[in-house]
Amino acid sequence: MSGATQVEELLRELAPQVTGTLVRRYGQFDLCEDAVQEALLAASVQWPETGIPERPRGWLVTVASRRLTDQVRGESARRRREETVAARSPADELVTPGPEADLPAANDDALTLLFLCCHPALSPPSQVALTLRAVGGLTTSQVARAFLVPEATMAQRISRAKQRIKAAGARFAMPPPAERTERLRVVLQVLYLIFNEGYAASSGPDLQRADLTSEAIRLTRELHRLLPEDGEVAGLLALMLLTDARRPARTRPDGSLVPLAEQDRSRWDAGAVAEGVALVTGTLARAPLGPYQLQAAIAAVHDEAARAEDTDWRQILVLYELLERVAPSPVVTLNHAVAVAMVRGPRAGLELLATLEGDDRLAGHHRLDAVRAHLLELAGDREAAHEHYRAAARATTSLPEQRYLESRAARLGP
């Protein structure tokens, strides 16, 4: 591992800890988060040349605290802001701590920061952007590139998110116990959104973005370390690992998509499969059943099959029936229909798929046409399958998916 890569990984790990420390001391999340970004940038430039300090977290806290002081002094209302910071700070913290200062344990701060970035006052895109920047330690430019938007657009989104948190009166504290379960559900949803955008990019020339999937896995792994007994956290981590394990076989050298049934399974990441299976097996044995655990169990059944034809579709069907009861959604029904088709025949799958007609949540989504085309092809209705593959290709904004769907259509008709 190169020195620059080692520094980057360390900074990603320390970013939420340092941000949490500053916000807990001084309040003013928006100013603290900006100051930490400046400290991370300074470290990314200096450390590869000078070496990582003996106490890197203390170094970042020191630099970020000084940046924060500079920001406060530079405001037109300098006196009022300095008095606010002073009032929030214990007397022994009025002097910026040096790099050797003892710092409190970071676990609670990192978890609290994750809950804050996923505050219910924010829209899902804002939650994702703020989580990647404040908790993931990515720069605004990196977040913008990941989502294929201009940096100025992403900067505005992050700025508005921080202002919404401020306007909502959110404090840097864990949610009350009564709200914690729901807030954790939102956190898991945000992490899964990040993972899915990386694994199956919603637009653009690339099918997948490994930087986003890796970051989602890293953040979820950290959350699992902080909440080791939570079954759904373990389930989400297992689901990500079992899904991402297939990434090396999902594309051909030219970037085109390879469907699951045609993938070279010898190229799957065996270590990730083994870790994911162990995680989901352990959590299913001890924790209340949840949707991420069930999805992970389904992924495990797929990954444990040596060949596509060895897949235990009956077990997958049972798991989807459970998932429909625990967390019904049109996407679950789509996948359930495929499992029904594999066990009971394509016409049975098409009957289940018909229940989604008119569901506004899938309006304009290419996956409904894509699944219908696949089941029609299995049923031998080549003409109808051709039309639905073409419709799905027109609806998707992912170029690799579009090319794949067009190729399927071309095989079936003129």
Side-chain angles (χ1 to χ4, degrees):
M1 182 186 297
S2 69
T5 301
Q6 183 182 10
V7 166
E8 182 180 358
E9 291 187 0
L10 179 60
L11 292 177
R12 294 275 182 89
E13 177 185 340
L14 292 175
Q17 301 175 20
V18 176
T19 303
T21 296
L22 259 69
V23 178
R24 179 173 42 76
R25 283 179 172 172
Y26 306 118
Q28 304 185 82
F29 170 68
D30 52 341
L31 297 181
C32 289
E33 200 274 330
D34 287 340
V36 172
Q37 283 288 320
E38 291 188 32
L40 293 172
L41 179 59
S44 70
V45 172
Q46 294 181 35
W47 291 2
E49 298 294 329
T50 63
I52 296 172
E54 183 180 349
R55 302 190 68 176
R57 184 173 162 227
W59 189 100
L60 289 168
V61 169
T62 297
V63 173
S65 296
R66 289 171 179 162
R67 295 288 197 276
L68 176 62
T69 300
D70 291 342
Q71 289 182 56
V72 170
R73 286 175 176 164
E75 297 287 341
S76 58
R78 177 179 62 84
R79 185 179 302 276
R80 179 175 59 81
R81 288 181 178 273
E82 287 184 344
E83 289 173 352
T84 300
V85 172
R88 287 179 175 271
S89 305
D92 61 353
E93 288 185 357
L94 293 178
V95 177
T96 300
E100 300 305 315
D102 288 331
L103 295 172
N107 288 0
D108 290 345
D109 281 351
L111 186 58
T112 301
L113 183 63
L114 191 51
F115 277 108
L116 185 64
C117 291
C118 298
H119 193 279
L122 303 180
S123 66
S126 294
Q127 291 170 334
V128 166
L130 197 55
T131 296
L132 285 173
R133 196 175 119 131
V135 185
L138 275 66
T139 64
T140 302
S141 176
Q142 289 171 323
V143 180
R145 284 200 303 271
F147 288 93
L148 304 180
V149 300
E151 184 175 350
T153 300
M154 186 56 69
Q156 290 176 350
R157 181 179 298 173
I158 291 170
S159 178
R160 285 196 299 266
K162 290 192 285 190
Q163 291 306 312
R164 280 185 177 273
I165 285 177
K166 186 175 182 179
R171 297 182 303 108
F172 188 73
M174 286 293 287
E179 298 177 17
R180 205 162 296 173
T181 299
E182 177 59 22
R183 291 284 289 277
L184 179 59
R185 185 191 66 79
V186 175
V187 168
L188 295 178
Q189 183 179 46
V190 167
L191 294 175
Y192 197 32
L193 282 172
I194 295 170
F195 178 83
N196 279 332
E197 182 58 31
Y199 191 73
S202 58
S203 61
D206 299 318
L207 179 67
Q208 47 201 6
R209 298 176 197 148
D211 54 341
L212 280 180
T213 55
S214 297
E215 186 61 19
I217 290 171
R218 187 185 72 82
L219 291 173
T220 308
R221 194 184 293 282
E222 177 65 12
L223 185 60
H224 178 54
R225 187 180 69 80
L226 298 173
L227 300 173
E229 299 305 315
D230 190 283
E232 279 294 82
V233 173
L236 179 58
L237 178 57
L239 175 59
M240 289 180 179
L241 290 168
L242 290 162
T243 305
D244 193 57
R246 307 171 198 151
R247 178 160 48 91
R250 287 187 73 227
T251 54
R252 297 183 177 87
D254 63 0
S256 59
L257 183 153
V258 182
L260 179 62
E262 299 173 18
Q263 289 175 16
D264 177 359
R265 299 183 177 215
S266 68
R267 298 184 61 203
W268 288 359
D269 185 336
V273 171
E275 184 183 0
V277 169
L279 268 171
V280 70
T281 301
T283 192
L284 285 173
R286 60 174 172 75
L289 196 61
Y292 290 116
Q293 295 167 68
L294 285 168
Q295 291 176 78
I298 291 167
V301 176
H302 279 294
D303 285 14
E304 289 181 309
R307 303 174 303 164
E309 54 267 35
D310 297 331
T311 304
D312 189 343
W313 281 105
R314 291 188 181 279
Q315 186 178 356
I316 289 175
L317 178 57
V318 170
L319 289 167
Y320 269 119
E321 288 170 348
L322 280 172
L323 186 57
E324 285 269 28
R325 291 201 290 270
V326 170
S329 78
V331 173
V332 171
T333 303
L334 271 177
N335 293 317
H336 185 187
V338 174
V340 168
M342 299 304 291
V343 175
R344 300 173 186 159
R347 291 297 173 188
L350 287 164
E351 287 178 12
L352 178 56
L353 208 61
T355 64
L356 294 174
E357 292 291 346
D359 191 319
D360 292 340
R361 293 171 293 178
L362 283 178
H365 200 293
H366 74 282
R367 285 204 62 204
L368 181 57
D369 274 310
V371 172
R372 181 178 282 111
H374 175 57
L375 298 190
L376 286 166
E377 183 180 1
L378 290 177
D381 192 339
R382 296 171 59 89
E383 183 177 351
H386 172 267
E387 292 305 315
H388 284 286
Y389 277 130
R390 292 288 304 276
R394 289 192 297 269
T396 185
T397 53
S398 165
L399 291 179
E401 284 194 345
Q402 184 182 79
R403 295 188 186 109
Y404 169 74
L405 292 164
E406 286 173 345
S407 71
R408 300 292 293 191
R411 291 191 310 106
L412 296 173

